[in-house]
Amino acid sequence: MLEKAKFLLTPSARSDVPSFMVMDVMTAAARIEAAGGHVIHMEVGQPAAPAPATAIAAAKAALDAGRLSYTEALGIPSLRARIARYYAERFDLDLDPGRIAVTTGSSGGFILAFLALFEPGDRVAVTVPGYPPYRHILKALGCEPVLIETTAATRHALTPEMLLAEHRRKPLAGVLVASPANPTGTMMSAEALAALCSAAEGAGIRFISDEIYHGLDYAFAAETAARLSPNALVINSFSKYFCMTGWRIGWMVVPEPLIRTVDRLHGNLAISVPTLAQIAAEAAFDGAAEMDAVKHGYEDNRRILIEGLPKAGLDTFLPADGAFYLYADVSRFCDDSFDFAKRLLEEAHVAATPGIDFDPVHGKQFLRFCYAGSRGEMHEAVRRIGDWLR
Ligand SMILES: Cc1ncc(COP(=O)(O)O)c(C=O)c1O
């Protein structure tokens, strides 16, 4: 190929972000299933249940009614008002609906938040282990993700001391935390979140709280950063509690001075979020009873794993406070959890995600199990893991 043509086809350096290793696990699982094997899927972090019946009915009615047009860039006003009401109902928090921005999942929210808050080159702290796209999106936007390692000593929460130590080493422009978190399933107490938010803002570090797993809290009630500071930027989604991953819809609570910025950015980047998903999302709030039943299923699954896995041989895992993840230390059995996951899949037909996706340093010690499946699958997974490890 001519040198010139090669240059035309060379991707940008900032687009060089890694893919998810969980995809490799899914491909291997599909191969086993194609050959007639029955795989218990605990690798992908998504609910097995469908969207609330209220959401599906609203979407069907909207399709029958005909035209679906663009909406306001920040979302349909009645949906924004309904989301604001959710904060009143759950957190006794009076939020101006004008501060709600509807996004294409929380993933769309990250792009808007990072663009609105940071300049290229800005350093933004994220925790490790953590959700990989945080650092990949930051990198693609020209920011520098700063990985702060968390340990069991702080229940895998970022503390003010850890954040400020990094800030003194080299100034940070922002920090992003999640509670409940992926992959650990751990949560920050309301006090810990408040202390971190206040330390960050005191040092001039912008605070972003990913609250996508809110509603799926078992150990204690999750706190929202929206209650702690008007300057915190909150990101949430209909994907997890409302079981609407494929609808691609989420929201942000935006600090008042940044609303117009987010409005302009979103109008240019996407015009608006798909209207059908917005209509369904508004109706999803009426399906809370159905979703609470799904949540109780996760609670049962969590109990089955917490009680069953130690008996099966996997006895070291992080506190499974919320979301639907259990992060198990498998270093007693192997020095590379990728290889362990591969053998677990091939020999016991249980699919789990190797920790290296979430933690480039210590991930080799861990496996993430998603317990969003059925109760029967959890019992079967425990049985298969026990037989396999014996
Ligand atoms: C912690 C966390 N944040 C954000 C997302 C993105 O979800 P969505 O874009 O579907 O809202 C995920 C998905 O698994 C996640 O685990």
Side-chain angles (χ1 to χ4, degrees), residues 20 45 104-108 110 131 134 178 180-182 210 212-213 236-240 244-245 248-250 325 368:
F20 241 169
T104 38
S106 61
S107 304
F110 297 132
Y131 181 59
Y134 298 150
N182 177 10
D210 177 3
I212 183 170
Y213 291 103
N236 208 321
S237 175
F238 288 89
S239 288
K240 308 294 172 160
M244 293 177 72
T245 47
R248 308 310 302 129
I249 182 157
Y325 303 116
R368 186 194 73 174

Side-chain angles (χ1 to χ4, degrees), residues 36-334:
H38 172 226
V39 175
I40 310 274
H41 287 276
M42 301 177 83
E43 76 279 36
V44 188
Q46 68 174 339
T54 50
I56 293 169
K60 280 184 178 160
L63 281 177
D64 288 342
R67 184 164 178 262
L68 290 167
S69 39
Y70 292 136
T71 73
E72 291 174 29
L74 290 174
I76 296 175
S78 58
L79 170 59
R80 296 169 71 200
R82 185 62 192 88
I83 294 170
R85 180 146 72 86
Y86 155 85
Y87 286 90
E89 290 165 356
R90 183 173 285 262
F91 297 103
D92 197 19
L93 175 66
D94 186 16
L95 264 191
D96 174 3
R99 288 187 55 200
I100 307 295
V102 179
T103 59
T104 38
S106 61
S107 304
F110 297 132
I111 299 170
L112 289 168
F114 298 162
L115 283 172
L117 291 174
F118 305 126
E119 302 293 349
D122 273 356
R123 285 165 36 89
V124 181
V126 294
T127 57
V128 180
Y131 181 59
Y134 298 150
R135 49 182 198 271
H136 300 160
I137 298 171
L138 282 165
K139 178 179 177 286
L141 294 178
C143 300
E144 186 191 335
V146 177
L147 278 50
I148 302 185
E149 214 178 291
T150 60
T151 64
T154 62
R155 297 181 85 260
H156 288 269
L158 184 63
T159 63
E161 294 72 30
M162 291 155 83
L163 181 73
L164 297 178
E166 182 57 45
H167 188 54
R168 276 193 298 275
R169 210 177 62 74
K170 198 167 169 199
L172 292 164
V175 58
L176 188 166
V177 291
S179 169
N182 177 10
T184 57
T186 54
M187 286 174 57
M188 295 174 79
S189 67
E191 296 73 28
L193 191 70
L196 186 67
C197 180
S198 132
E201 293 191 353
I205 303 168
R206 287 149 178 213
F207 194 75
I208 304 175
S209 178
D210 177 3
E211 302 184 353
I212 183 170
Y213 291 103
H214 270 212
L216 303 179
D217 41 0
Y218 319 111
F220 48 89
E223 174 64 294
T224 176
R227 214 155 71 122
L228 303 174
S229 164
N231 306 319
L233 193 149
V234 170
I235 296 184
N236 208 321
S237 175
F238 288 89
S239 288
K240 308 294 172 160
Y241 172 76
F242 287 107
C243 302
M244 293 177 72
T245 47
W247 295 77
R248 308 310 302 129
I249 182 157
W251 75 86
M252 298 197 292
V253 182
V254 182
E256 206 275 327
L258 293 172
I259 294 165
R260 189 64 192 122
T261 306
V262 170
D263 188 11
R264 281 187 283 107
L265 280 169
H266 202 216
N268 279 281
L269 289 173
I271 301 187
S272 57
V273 169
T275 309
L276 190 63
Q278 294 195 57
I279 292 167
E282 187 175 340
F285 285 104
D286 299 329
E290 191 185 340
M291 294 300 105
D292 278 344
V294 174
K295 174 188 177 171
H296 292 139
Y298 301 150
E299 274 183 291
D300 284 346
N301 292 350
R302 169 180 179 264
R303 190 181 33 76
I304 293 165
L305 294 187
I306 288 178
E307 288 170 10
L309 284 180
K311 290 181 199 145
L314 284 185
D315 53 6
T316 314
F317 40 83
L318 272 47
D321 297 329
F324 33 52
Y325 303 116
L326 185 141
Y327 202 53
D329 185 339
V330 292
S331 58
R332 193 152 68 78
F333 304 99
C334 64

